[in-house]
Amino acid sequence: IQITAIQVKPYLTWSENKTTTGNDLFVGFCKDLLDELAKLLRFNYTLYIPENNSELGELQSETGRYTGLLGELTEYVSICILG
């Protein structure tokens, strides 16, 4: 499962440990919650931070498409967003 998120302290931010990889690159409440849910419900996930890290998203009138996290969700890049 790919989950797209934005970084908001203390919920999700980069780990200070520069030797980690994958989902361990992140720390915070949302990361801890996802880890527990994944363990309990037996699923794997990948956290993804889009280039525009701070945008929830808005509808673009010219294209009829959403930007930001909402765009990631509506374009089926991710099945879940955190923000």
Side-chain angles (χ1 to χ4, degrees):
I1 296 172
Q2 180 162 304
I3 298 174
T4 303
I6 57 175
Q7 295 179 71
V8 179
K9 290 183 180 181
Y11 304 105
L12 187 69
T13 191
W14 293 108
S15 171
E16 292 182 9
N17 184 348
K18 302 300 180 198
T19 62
T20 60
T21 59
N23 291 335
D24 291 332
L25 289 169
F26 306 100
V27 295
F29 175 76
C30 288
K31 167 72 169 63
D32 296 341
L33 182 61
L34 281 171
D35 286 344
E36 290 302 315
L37 286 172
K39 195 181 333 177
L40 180 67
L41 300 174
R42 296 184 179 133
F43 69 89
N44 295 315
Y45 71 93
T46 302
L47 276 172
Y48 167 71
I49 306 293
E51 287 183 28
N52 186 351
N53 178 41
S54 62
E55 186 179 319
L56 179 58
E58 61 183 37
L59 181 61
Q60 299 294 304
S61 59
E62 314 83 53
T63 63
R65 295 179 138 173
Y66 283 94
T67 60
L69 291 182
L70 293 175
E72 299 282 324
L73 190 61
T74 58
E75 297 293 323
Y76 302 104
V77 174
S78 291
I79 66 162
C80 181
I81 57 175
L82 294 173

